[in-house]
């Protein structure tokens, strides 16, 4: 379930870019190989779509978003990240949630590689947030400076910048 087309599979050209307020002020571009060389990690996650359904207990594997953060860390005052995908989809995520050991840059689900439809070659999975916070076809993220407002696809349409599913943080007016 997503907005827009499914990208063509071209893993050799897939790059992962970490930009915005990085610690060293530089934009960092990683190859798919560099990301996949990080230690493997797994999570069980329920899928909470804010508008439709919830699927329980999917198994995801990939690498920890925290390990990617370590490759290209944020400036000390960064609290929020704009995570983006192919074709302009993006979502706002608090840095603490992205850095949590549960946040996964997932390449597999149910033991099989992601299909194109499900987000190949990688998607973000943060189990306790609404699923719109998990871009499929993940291409990287930008660290946002305090006070900087750069909104994702659903956040522009009035959805919550944090989006904790257990707190039912669906809409921006709850912030
Ligand atoms: N790139 C991209 N990722 C996306 C979306 C999208 O429109 N584009 N939709 C999100 C929403 S709202 C949901 S519910 C899930 C759906 O994931 P699924 O297709 O694996 O069920 O993908 C999320 N990731
Ligand atoms: Mo959704």
């Amino acid at each position: 379930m997503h907005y827009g087309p499914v990208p063509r599979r071209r893993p050799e050209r897939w790059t992962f870019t970490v930009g915005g307020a990085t610690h060293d002020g530089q934009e960092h571009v990683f190859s798919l190989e560099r990301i996949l060389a990080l230690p493997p990690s797994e999570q069980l996650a329920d899928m909470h779509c804010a508008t439709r359904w919830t699927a329980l207990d999917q198994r995801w594997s990939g690498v920890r978003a925290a390990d990617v953060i370590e490759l290209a860390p944020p400036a000390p005052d960064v609290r929020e990240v704009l995570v983006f995908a192919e074709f302009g989809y993006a979502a706002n995520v608090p840095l603490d949630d992205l850095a949590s050991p549960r946040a996964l840059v997932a390449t597999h689900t149910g033991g099989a590689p992601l299909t194109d439809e499900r987000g190949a070659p990688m998607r973000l999975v943060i189990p306790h947030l609404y699923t719109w916070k998990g871009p499929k076809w993940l291409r990287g993220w930008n660290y946002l400076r305090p006070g900087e407002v750069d909104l994702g696809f659903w956040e522009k349409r009035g959805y919550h910048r944090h989006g904790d599913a257990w707190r039912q943080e669906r809409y921006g007016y709850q912030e």
Side-chain angles (χ1 to χ4, degrees), residues 4-145:
V6 174
R8 275 182 46 211
R9 186 185 287 262
R10 281 180 308 197
E12 65 294 345
R13 285 210 243 153
W14 199 265
T15 53
F16 193 102
T17 301
V18 179
T22 56
H23 195 266
D24 62 5
Q26 305 289 314
E27 186 175 87
H28 296 258
V29 182
F30 302 104
S31 66
L32 188 56
E33 278 174 328
R34 181 66 189 95
I35 300 293
L36 300 185
L38 293 167
S41 181
E42 273 198 357
Q43 283 297 328
L44 281 180
D46 300 342
M47 292 182 78
H48 308 273
C49 177
T51 51
R52 295 165 266 225
W53 40 265
T54 291
L56 298 176
D57 262 14
Q58 302 216 8
R59 179 173 294 280
W60 300 90
S61 48
V63 303
R64 283 199 182 87
D67 289 335
V68 181
I69 292 174
E70 226 170 89
L71 291 179
D77 55 353
V78 168
R79 298 284 172 270
E80 192 185 21
V81 182
L82 185 74
V83 179
F84 57 85
E86 192 78 343
F87 300 135
Y89 186 85
N92 297 85
V93 175
L95 179 61
D96 282 349
D97 296 83
L98 189 67
S100 114
R102 301 195 65 199
L104 208 63
V105 173
T107 55
H108 288 67
T109 187
L114 294 176
T115 59
D116 291 348
E117 273 282 316
R118 303 288 317 274
M122 52 180 57
R123 70 187 288 170
L124 185 65
V125 174
I126 306 183
H128 60 284
L129 300 188
Y130 281 113
T131 311
W132 91 79
K133 300 293 191 182
K136 307 195 278 192
W137 316 295
L138 178 66
R139 293 303 304 271
W141 56 67
N142 287 331
Y143 298 122
L144 301 181
R145 293 183 178 81

